[in-house]
């Protein structure tokens, strides 16, 4: 049963990403931050753009928590910084 804390941690992160994505989708739709279709699009109606922000936020928070609990903050530091830069550039 050594894997149970890892499973609970992963399920918690999944749940937080699920709830966060729903919340940010409503926020994006309310502010009309939409991706409008063009000839290369796979969708026919405007869709919210940027809901991945919730997933990025949850992943970064989970990494930070895991690194602080595991005492490997120095190992995750460069990975965390690279993920923040990638998220900023992607936005």
């Amino acid at each position: 049963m050594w894997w149970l804390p890892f499973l609970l941690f992963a399920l918690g992160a999944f749940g937080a990403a699920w709830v966060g994505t729903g919340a940010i989708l409503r926020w994006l739709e309310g502010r009309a931050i939409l991706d409008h279709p063009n000839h290369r699009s796979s969708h026919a109606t405007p869709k919210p753009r940027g809901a991945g922000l919730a997933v990025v936020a949850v992943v970064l928070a989970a990494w930070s928590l895991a690194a602080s609990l595991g005492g490997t903050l120095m190992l995750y530091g460069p990975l965390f910084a690279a993920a923040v830069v990638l998220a900023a550039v992607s936005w």
Side-chain angles (χ1 to χ4, degrees):
M1 293 291 256
W2 61 268
W3 50 267
L4 187 59
F6 297 106
L7 178 63
L8 293 176
F9 189 78
L11 288 175
F14 176 78
W18 184 286
V19 170
T21 299
I24 203 164
L25 278 173
R26 287 187 297 279
W27 183 82
L28 291 167
E29 287 173 344
R31 284 159 184 73
I33 302 174
L34 303 172
D35 186 16
H36 296 280
N38 59 31
H39 68 283
R40 293 178 34 206
S41 299
S42 62
H43 56 278
T45 59
K47 300 290 181 192
R49 177 192 309 216
L53 288 173
V55 175
V56 170
V58 168
V59 166
L60 293 177
W63 278 352
S64 297
L65 182 61
S68 66
L69 292 176
T72 57
L73 196 55
M74 294 303 291
L75 177 66
Y76 286 97
L79 184 61
F80 184 85
V84 169
V85 170
L86 179 61
V89 169
S90 297
W91 174 250

